[in-house]
Amino acid sequence: MAEPAPDSAFLRIEGVSKTFGTFQAVRDVTLSVQRGEIFSLLGGSGCGKTTLLRMLAGFETPSAGRIFLDGRDMAGVPPWSRPVHMMFQSYALFPHMSVEQNIGYGLKHETMTKAERAGRVRDMLDLVQLSPLALRKPHQISGGQRQRVALARALARQPKLLLLDEPLAALDKKLREQTQFELMSIQQRTGVTFIVVTHDQEEAMTLSDRIAVMDRGEVRQVGSPTEIYEYPASRFVASFIGSITSMEATINGRSAEGRMDLNVPALGGVVQVRDMPSFADGQGVTLALRPEKLQISKDRPPGPNAIAGLVKDLAYFGKDSLYRIALPSGALVQVHAVNLRRGDEASRVADWDDQVWLSFDPTSAIVLGD
Amino acid sequence: MRRGLAHWFDRRGWSDLIISVPYLWLSFFFLVPFLIVLAMSVATKSPTAPPFSFGGDYPLVNLEGYARLVSDGLYLRAFLTSVWNAGVATVFCLLLGYPMALALTRVSRSWRNILLMLVILPFWTSFLLRVYAWMGLMGKSSWFNVLLTDLWNGAVPVAWAVKSLPMMHSNFAVILVMVYTYLPFMILPLYASLERLDPTLDEAALDLGSRPWQVFLDVTLPQSLPGLIAGGLLVFIPAAGELVIPTLVGDSAAPMIGRVISDEFSSARDWPMASAVAVALLVLMVVPTMIYTRYQAKSEGAK
């Protein structure tokens, strides 16, 4: 009997590393995932997220560290004995089997009667709404349908943990949005814990309860989508999730209650941000501004953080517009503005080469130490 | 008219010309000779040169050759010997070749090239030389025979002891040399079909609870069927018509069909009979090929 995991987390990854030859794919990762959560591993290619997933599935053995699932140490447990199923990026459907046979494949290892097995396959087909296609072969159905077969096949044995490797990457944009919500609703109905590997930050944001941002084999930050987006812990996370304008800054002092003054050469002066006691006066920091946290106006707005600039570029998306504002220092700042009012080009807030003012709320700015 | 021809040539002249090359080749070197053999098979043996004629006592078509195929036990036995020897050789090629082909797909790329080269390497030596090498090995006084004889005598009661193993001039020798000769023809198509398989399918099956041997039976084997059938036909068809191997190492009292055809043509100078046997052999071989082609067309259509 394996000793129980030190805390009650459903899945606990403790100091796991994986080395291939001289390449360290995963470095000392510690994570815990709660039962019924959708947890994403987010990172660029080669960040170690897929290797971590394959260690959970049992295809790779950790070079160091341990993995506990529901209190059980998974070391030495082969893939075929793990209550963990995986939905592969390529779906990996068996081409010589029908949709029905694919979904029922794992069930032949369960002790259940023929009727029970058929019933489970039928339930799964209903769950992913593929009942009419039960007898088709994988090459006779569309990409989106294949994705649902792969999901049903992985869920059929009612795993404790479902691993999804880039579940939406092979789908086109429209289908991806629709499938996202479907995945979430299926997860809610089945209650299975999902671990999703993705390189797509939007996908991670909409699907997940929590996200672990990975970079070069390490977990850089774990948190809810909101935490990761609004309170990034490092420049890497800030720039990886969403777009952002980062600038060098120095802490100038604390002139007002709850405020901190930053000298930002790129903005051509001093701005005010929310005070963060962990930073000392004179310390060099990074000021990061999300495009949608900046306001753009023709006249100088009241308040401390107003910067003059020139509209260098403008991209009109319909519901909103993206501006690139050139500051006198030469820096470029991105601003996202929702097009609240209907009108033609003349009614826009700003046009090419217009002189405009940027402003932001002191609490909206992100200040990072590294 | 000329304008029409030029128009046709502009539109599809080159593609039609290129497509027609294999058809022309097959017509000249397969269809026409086959028709000649077919015609000979219904001719009458005569002491002329060439030793057959049409007409005479018989009308133009003389089916005596075909009648003897059924009535004379020699031909039927030769057919059965051929099918049995070729069948056993095919099964052994499969049992030996499948693991080798599978291993080829599992080793690193640089090893794969070396091993593939080793599979093809025997073709660089003359086929006849390789059969003679086997004759030497199987001969009564060769080290190989002595070694096997000692092993045999050590393993069985003294009463069964032999001075040497009678390997030469037997169906065993024919099958052994045919397995050796045709093994690459089994390995290469099997390797080609196994190499195309997606390794993530194996992982998917493992992930869904199958042990490695179940993965092989459920995923690998069914998907390699086309390669298995192609390899089987590539071994079985030439092995069934094999002439050189049974002539050199086989039992002359139980000839294979290739030997019978050769004897009818040369020593018996009965060309019509030889042709009838050849046509019968062809028909016998065409049936499994047609089954395979249909199977392949079906699975291609399914893709």
Side-chain angles (χ1 to χ4, degrees):
Chain A
M1 200 52 216
E3 59 185 287
D7 74 49
S8 62
F10 182 59
L11 170 70
R12 188 153 171 80
I13 301 171
E14 274 182 14
V16 164
S17 298
K18 178 70 188 177
T19 315
F20 295 107
T22 57
F23 174 67
Q24 193 159 20
V26 173
R27 286 165 212 257
D28 194 22
V29 167
T30 297
L31 286 172
S32 40
V33 178
Q34 305 303 316
R35 191 188 294 271
E37 222 181 351
I38 301 188
F39 190 91
S40 290
L41 300 170
L42 174 64
S45 61
C47 74
K49 57 191 194 296
T50 301
T51 307
L52 192 56
L53 198 74
R54 290 175 61 81
M55 287 194 279
L56 294 176
F59 295 132
E60 309 283 356
T61 317
S63 309
R66 291 196 295 179
I67 295 169
F68 293 96
L69 179 63
D70 207 5
R72 182 177 169 212
D73 190 343
M74 299 310 279
V77 180
W80 55 86
S81 303
R82 291 188 182 212
V84 174
H85 291 327
M86 179 146 160
M87 196 182 114
F88 291 82
Q89 183 174 4
S90 61
Y91 310 144
L93 299 180
F94 304 124
H96 56 296
M97 296 184 198
S98 66
V99 165
E100 201 174 55
Q101 288 168 323
N102 263 288
I103 294 175
Y105 182 77
L107 295 178
K108 67 179 204 166
H109 304 295
E110 302 267 303
T111 46
M112 59 201 308
T113 65
K114 236 178 169 168
E116 284 172 328
R117 199 167 300 158
R120 183 80 69 79
V121 170
R122 220 175 309 119
D123 291 347
M124 285 298 133
L125 282 167
D126 286 343
L127 183 71
V128 296
Q129 296 158 33
L130 283 177
S131 305
L133 305 178
L135 298 177
R136 299 263 189 100
K137 290 278 180 71
H139 61 86
Q140 292 166 321
I141 59 178
S142 73
Q145 290 163 343
R146 254 175 256 164
Q147 192 255 14
R148 271 145 55 195
V149 176
L151 182 64
R153 186 179 69 175
L155 283 171
R157 286 186 78 188
Q158 301 175 331
K160 287 184 176 174
L161 190 64
L162 185 72
L163 310 174
L164 300 99
D165 189 2
E166 304 273 3
L168 307 174
L171 305 178
D172 60 53
K173 194 172 187 295
K174 262 253 160 62
L175 201 56
R176 195 154 52 205
E177 281 167 11
Q178 183 194 328
T179 310
Q180 249 168 25
F181 292 108
E182 232 174 67
L183 267 182
M184 287 160 79
S185 102
I186 285 173
Q187 194 270 340
Q188 270 165 12
R189 269 182 285 164
T190 55
V192 174
T193 309
F194 277 26
I195 308 272
V196 181
V197 150
T198 179
H199 68 278
D200 183 330
Q201 40 127 338
E202 257 180 61
E203 191 176 306
M205 301 279 281
T206 44
L207 272 179
S208 322
D209 295 315
R210 284 193 305 146
I211 299 173
V213 182
M214 293 186 68
D215 175 40
R216 277 173 280 168
E218 281 174 286
V219 171
R220 302 297 293 265
Q221 190 175 357
V222 183
S224 69
T226 315
E227 281 166 359
I228 299 268
Y229 186 79
E230 303 289 1
Y231 303 98
S234 61
R235 283 180 70 160
F236 173 80
V237 175
S239 57
F240 189 77
I241 310 282
S243 53
I244 203 153
T245 309
S246 300
M247 286 159 287
E248 298 296 319
T250 327
I251 299 189
N252 226 10
R254 270 101 172 162
S255 58
E257 179 64 36
R259 293 279 180 267
M260 187 162 72
D261 297 333
L262 287 186
N263 183 16
V264 188
L267 296 180
V270 174
V271 295
Q272 272 192 0
V273 300
R274 199 178 54 161
D275 191 10
M276 293 168 86
S278 56
F279 296 116
D281 285 3
Q283 188 180 338
V285 292
T286 301
L287 174 69
L289 295 166
R290 295 265 184 219
E292 78 282 0
K293 301 286 193 294
L294 286 157
Q295 279 89 48
I296 187 166
S297 55
K298 287 232 164 85
D299 308 311
R300 189 184 208 287
N305 303 328
I307 303 113
L310 208 66
V311 178
K312 180 100 189 308
D313 252 324
L314 188 165
Y316 174 72
F317 300 119
K319 67 178 193 297
D320 46 24
S321 297
L322 189 70
Y323 298 88
R324 298 217 299 171
I325 309 297
L327 303 182
S329 68
L332 277 176
V333 181
Q334 284 200 24
V335 184
H336 208 142
V338 176
N339 295 320
L340 291 170
R341 269 178 307 230
R342 186 169 170 226
D344 56 14
E345 283 85 344
S347 67
R348 273 186 200 150
V349 173
D351 219 326
W352 270 278
D353 298 327
D354 275 359
Q355 188 74 42
V356 291
W357 287 89
L358 298 181
S359 60
F360 61 92
D361 189 276
T363 58
S364 298
I366 300 166
V367 182
L368 296 165
D370 75 353
Chain B
M1 182 61 209
R2 218 195 95 66
R3 166 175 291 200
L5 199 67
H7 180 67
W8 165 83
F9 194 84
D10 283 348
R11 217 157 40 88
R12 38 187 305 191
W14 284 114
S15 66
D16 277 11
L17 272 182
I18 289 164
I19 290 168
S20 68
V21 169
Y23 286 101
L24 286 173
W25 178 275
L26 280 176
S27 307
F28 279 121
F29 296 107
F30 178 73
L31 191 60
V32 171
F34 174 69
L35 290 176
I36 294 172
V37 170
L38 192 65
M40 266 199 277
S41 74
V42 295
T44 309
K45 184 185 173 187
S46 78
T48 53
F52 62 90
S53 62
F54 292 96
D57 294 344
Y58 290 91
L60 216 51
V61 172
N62 178 354
L63 293 174
E64 197 200 347
Y66 290 99
R68 264 170 65 201
L69 266 185
V70 190
S71 59
D72 193 337
L74 165 79
Y75 303 107
L76 217 57
R77 259 203 315 280
F79 267 119
L80 287 178
T81 309
S82 300
V83 169
W84 169 258
N85 284 356
V88 173
T90 307
V91 168
F92 275 101
C93 279
L94 182 64
L95 292 178
L96 284 170
Y98 204 106
M100 289 166 86
L102 199 59
L104 277 171
T105 65
R106 302 288 159 94
V107 296
S108 72
R109 196 153 278 283
S110 50
W111 266 108
R112 188 182 298 188
N113 289 338
I114 295 170
L115 293 175
L116 266 176
M117 183 68 99
L118 287 178
V119 169
I120 305 165
L121 198 65
F123 291 127
W124 290 7
T125 322
S126 151
F127 161 64
L128 219 49
L129 209 62
R130 285 181 284 138
V131 180
Y132 276 114
W134 273 108
M135 291 167 70
L137 278 179
M138 289 189 291
K140 285 201 163 74
S141 53
S142 79
W143 65 267
F144 184 64
N145 201 328
V146 170
L147 180 80
L148 291 182
T149 309
D150 288 351
L151 284 175
W152 167 264
N153 289 345
V156 299
V158 182
W160 293 3
V162 290
K163 268 170 73 188
S164 65
L165 289 175
M167 286 196 282
M168 275 296 285
H169 305 299
S170 65
N171 272 346
F172 165 79
V174 174
I175 290 168
L176 177 69
V177 177
M178 286 204 300
V179 169
Y180 163 77
T181 308
Y182 289 112
L183 191 56
F185 295 107
M186 181 61 92
I187 293 176
L188 294 176
L190 265 178
Y191 166 73
S193 79
L194 286 171
E195 199 253 352
R196 276 188 318 186
L197 301 188
D198 180 0
T200 48
L201 294 182
D202 293 6
E203 287 189 342
L206 285 175
D207 188 66
L208 290 165
S210 294
R211 279 149 203 281
W213 62 268
Q214 288 167 320
V215 176
F216 173 77
L217 289 181
D218 294 342
V219 179
T220 314
L221 192 60
Q223 289 191 91
S224 66
L225 270 183
L228 201 149
I229 292 171
L233 287 175
L234 281 178
V235 173
F236 183 82
I237 291 174
E242 182 60 58
L243 170 66
V244 176
I245 297 171
T247 304
L248 292 177
V249 305
D251 178 2
S252 50
M256 282 174 66
I257 203 70
R259 180 66 188 276
V260 170
I261 297 174
S262 160
D263 284 353
E264 293 291 354
F265 261 113
S266 55
S267 47
R269 276 185 77 76
D270 190 346
W271 288 23
M273 188 63 221
S275 304
V277 179
V279 170
L281 179 66
L282 185 93
V283 170
L284 203 73
M285 295 299 118
V286 158
V287 173
T289 316
M290 270 166 53
I291 292 171
Y292 170 64
T293 315
R294 267 193 65 170
Y295 173 86
Q296 206 184 27
K298 219 175 81 183
S299 67
E300 288 292 316
K303 254 165 215 158

